[in-house]
Amino acid sequence: MQLRIHAALALLLVPLSSACLVDRTTTNVPISREVVGTLTPGTTTAREAVAALGAPLEVVQLGLRSAYRYEFVVSKRAGLVLILVGLISRDTRSDRAWLFFDEEDVLTHVAATFEGADSQYAMPWDKVHE
Amino acid sequence: MSASRHIARAASLTLLALLSCSSCVRLNWNRNRWQTPPNKEGSAAVIAAGAPLGEVLSVLGAPVAVREHRRDSVVITYGWDEVDSKGVNLSVPVSRQLSLSLDVRNNRTGARGLLLFFDRDLRLIAAEEGWLQNPRDGVRTRRPSLPETVLSTS
């Protein structure tokens, strides 16, 4: 009987003594792989690129040239907060696109990386992206 | 009462005591991962070849930052990081209005980075890998200035 009472007390303590958290944060809107694929170096102008992808997050002047940055960031966080131990892990990845224009505002280079979807919920000891 | 029951009871009481002083000591383990490093073989190949910008971008993907470096030259930055932070937080209630806390942990800010420098013809001329205080900057950036047409008329 006494053992059952102890067990019940221990079970009551469990929900009071621990918490877990899972959250996902995104910044900006996803970049369309298809739209980026339609941009053609030597042909597409800055005006056409902005019409297709929207306003860039950043415009960098490179002498007479320029570069536009588009980025969609995904951050996933998982944690376990026990009475005496707190374990929290965050994994941040992004979809990025850089468009390079010459002095005539014609596209010269496109660079795109799509890793936002690879962001993972994990514990600190987990080995991700390996 | 047998010795084993004494031990079990002592262990239970110890556990309860630890639980009841939960706000006193906490061990923290945080891991923060940001982006992924560029492909090692790919970066070594383009650096060795002094590749043009287009080839570098197709091999390594989009950098995290692009900046002008000197006049008409460009530097692109690939940044990534994985911070493993372990620490202890000690909190001691002194009175109803006062509580002392101490947080000790190994921690740092910044990120690893690979900087690739291009000449005015956008050909790779130098590379540097190291520690970035601000991954978006990479190198000292130029101060924004007014266009020459505006300056000449003012």
Side-chain angles (χ1 to χ4, degrees):
Chain A
M1 184 65 187
Q2 215 171 13
L3 188 65
R4 282 187 184 172
I5 292 170
H6 285 165
L9 281 171
L11 277 175
L12 277 173
L13 281 171
V14 167
L16 295 172
S17 65
S18 65
C20 64
L21 65 97
V22 173
D23 85 88
R24 177 177 180 269
T25 308
T26 60
T27 308
N28 302 321
V29 294
I31 301 169
S32 167
R33 193 187 292 258
E34 290 73 29
V35 172
V36 171
T38 63
L39 306 175
T40 312
T43 309
T44 306
T45 63
R47 184 185 292 267
E48 290 166 345
V50 170
L53 285 172
L57 196 61
E58 181 184 21
V59 175
V60 180
Q61 184 185 345
L62 305 169
L64 297 175
R65 295 176 282 228
S66 59
Y68 292 11
R69 174 166 71 96
Y70 293 86
E71 188 162 18
F72 169 60
V73 184
V74 180
S75 184
K76 291 180 179 173
R77 189 168 60 135
L80 190 61
V81 183
L82 303 171
I83 285 292
L84 299 174
V85 181
L87 306 163
I88 295 176
S89 175
R90 182 191 296 273
D91 185 27
T92 304
R93 298 283 178 272
S94 63
D95 293 349
R96 295 186 302 277
W98 278 96
L99 312 184
F100 293 80
F101 297 96
D102 63 12
E103 59 270 30
E104 305 293 334
D105 276 345
V106 175
L107 186 68
T108 57
H109 303 87
V110 181
T113 294
F114 297 92
E115 293 181 339
D118 298 338
S119 178
Q120 293 182 25
Y121 296 107
M123 283 286 107
W125 55 81
D126 287 331
K127 295 191 180 303
V128 295
H129 311 295
E130 287 184 355
Chain B
M1 192 179 285
S2 69
S4 60
R5 288 192 72 176
H6 275 298
I7 292 168
R9 175 165 288 187
S12 310
L13 286 171
T14 306
L15 181 63
L16 277 172
L18 282 171
L19 292 172
S20 64
C21 67
S22 62
S23 61
C24 291
V25 180
R26 171 169 288 169
L27 307 173
N28 294 306
W29 183 10
N30 295 349
R31 178 162 285 187
N32 200 352
R33 303 169 179 95
W34 179 74
Q35 309 298 359
T36 50
N39 176 282
K40 268 190 179 176
E41 292 76 24
S43 56
V46 294
I47 290 167
L53 178 65
E55 186 181 334
V56 172
L57 296 175
S58 68
V59 171
L60 302 181
V64 296
V66 174
R67 294 288 181 263
E68 183 176 28
H69 180 58
R70 296 184 184 139
R71 191 167 179 80
D72 270 356
S73 300
V74 176
V75 58
I76 66 175
T77 306
Y78 293 89
W80 69 96
D81 203 21
E82 181 160 343
V83 178
D84 191 15
S85 165
K86 297 187 181 85
V88 179
N89 178 268
L90 174 66
S91 178
V92 181
V94 177
S95 68
R96 285 174 65 183
Q97 285 87 24
L98 183 65
S99 172
L100 300 176
S101 74
L102 175 69
D103 194 15
V104 181
R105 65 176 63 198
N106 64 328
N107 211 348
R108 61 177 167 81
T109 58
R112 303 282 306 165
L114 172 65
L115 275 66
L116 301 177
F117 296 82
F118 295 83
D119 62 14
R120 61 176 55 195
D121 296 322
L122 299 180
R123 182 164 283 278
L124 182 58
I125 51 170
E128 201 168 312
E129 185 172 339
W131 185 250
L132 303 174
Q133 192 167 20
N134 183 348
R136 289 270 177 239
D137 279 348
V139 294
R140 186 184 292 273
T141 54
R142 288 182 61 188
R143 186 187 304 165
S145 58
L146 290 168
E148 288 175 12
T149 50
V150 177
L151 288 173
S152 61
T153 55
S154 61

